[in-house]
C-alpha cells in the first residue's frame, strides 16, 4: 500500500465520488490558493457522514470549488447552502449546480463571517474549510453557534503543519484523520443556549 497523500486535483478536474452524481466533473476556475478537498479525504468524510446525510440541511461555509457541498447533494442531502466570497467562484458554483440540475443547492456570494451575522437558520451538517491563509477557524466556529441544529456535525479541515484550531470546548471530536499535509476531523456540537 502506498503512503497516503492529500494532493488536490488540478482546477477543472474535481469529480464527485459517489451518489446520484457519481463521476460528474466540476468546472473549477484556476485561482491562487484554491485547493479542493482531495478525493481520498472526501471519501473518508462522506463515509463518516453517510448515515446523517439523507434529508440533512448542509452549509458549505467556504465553498471554493463546491466539491463538499455538491458531494453532499449527490449523497442525499435535502439542501446545501454554499457561501463563497470570490465572485468568479460563486459564478462557477451556480453554473455547476445548474448544469447538474441541483436545485436544492444555493449559492450566497458573501464573506463567511458576514453571512453568519445574518438571522440564523439551523443546519445539520457544516463544512468548515476556510482558506488556510485566512486563519478563520476560531472566529467562524464561534459565529456558527446559533446556526447549528441540535446534534449538528461540523467538518473541520486544516493544515497539519499548524496547531489544531481553537474550537469551542463543547465541540466533541468524533473522528479525525490525516492525509499528507492535511488534518481533518468531524465534530458533534451540542447546541449551547
Amino acid at each position: 500500500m502506498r503512503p497516503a497523500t492529500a494532493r488536490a486535483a488540478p482546477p477543472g478536474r474535481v469529480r464527485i465520488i459517489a451518489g446520484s452524481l457519481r463521476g460528474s466533473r466540476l468546472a473549477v476556475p484556476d485561482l491562487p490558493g484554491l485547493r479542493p478537498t482531495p478525493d481520498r479525504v472526501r471519501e473518508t468524510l462522506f463515509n463518516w457522514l453517510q448515515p446523517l446525510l439523507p434529508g440533512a440541511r448542509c452549509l458549505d461555509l467556504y465553498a471554493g470549488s463546491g466539491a463538499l457541498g455538491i458531494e453532499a447533494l449527490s449523497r442525499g442531502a435535502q439542501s446545501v447552502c454554499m457561501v463563497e466570497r470570490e465572485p468568479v467562484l460563486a459564478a462557477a458554483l451556480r453554473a455547476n449546480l445548474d448544469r447538474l440540475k441541483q436545485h436544492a443547492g444555493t449559492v450566497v456570494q458573501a464573506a463567511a463571517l458576514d453571512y453568519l451575522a445574518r438571522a440564523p437558520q439551523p443546519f445539520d451538517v457544516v463544512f468548515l474549510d476556510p482558506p488556510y491563509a485566512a486563519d478563520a477557524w476560531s472566529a467562524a466556529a464561534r459565529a456558527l453557534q446559533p446556526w447549528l441544529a441540535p446534534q449538528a456535525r461540523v467538518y473541520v479541515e486544516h493544515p497539519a503543519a499548524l496547531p489544531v484550531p481553537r474550537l469551542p470546548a463543547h465541540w466533541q471530536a468524533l473522528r479525525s484523520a490525516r492525509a499528507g499535509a492535511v488534518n481533518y476531523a468531524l465534530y458533534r456540537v451540542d447546541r449551547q443556549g
Side-chain angles (χ1 to χ4, degrees), residues 12-85:
R13 297 187 186 268
V14 178
R15 72 177 175 89
I16 300 303
I17 298 167
S20 63
L21 300 172
R22 181 181 182 179
S24 298
R25 299 226 176 243
L26 304 180
V28 180
D30 185 7
L31 294 177
L34 182 65
R35 39 161 198 79
T37 299
D39 287 4
R40 188 161 195 253
V41 172
R42 276 188 290 127
E43 185 172 9
T44 300
L45 166 64
F46 283 97
N47 285 340
W48 294 345
L49 288 174
Q50 193 54 50
L52 306 168
L53 277 178
R57 296 156 299 171
C58 302
L59 174 63
D60 191 352
L61 193 53
Y62 296 86
S65 70
L68 293 173
I70 294 174
E71 187 81 42
L73 288 170
S74 180
R75 294 177 184 237
Q78 173 186 314
S79 63
V80 177
C81 176
M82 293 182 260
V83 179
E84 175 52 53
R85 175 183 66 184

Side-chain angles (χ1 to χ4, degrees), residues 100-157:
L100 297 171
K101 298 179 177 33
Q102 294 302 301
H103 308 296
T106 58
V107 178
V108 176
Q109 186 183 330
L113 294 179
D114 291 344
Y115 175 80
L116 294 176
R118 301 175 182 189
Q121 56 182 300
F123 287 102
D124 305 301
V125 176
V126 176
F127 303 107
L128 180 55
D129 179 17
Y132 289 176
D135 192 21
W137 294 274
S138 297
R142 284 190 307 273
L144 265 173
Q145 289 308 125
W147 292 80
L148 300 174
Q151 303 293 305
R153 300 302 195 271
V154 179
Y155 167 75
V156 178
E157 182 179 316

Side-chain angles (χ1 to χ4, degrees), residues 173-189:
L174 299 176
R175 302 268 187 116
S176 63
R178 179 176 177 166
V182 174
N183 281 345
Y184 57 104
L186 185 65
Y187 293 84
R188 185 181 74 211
V189 180

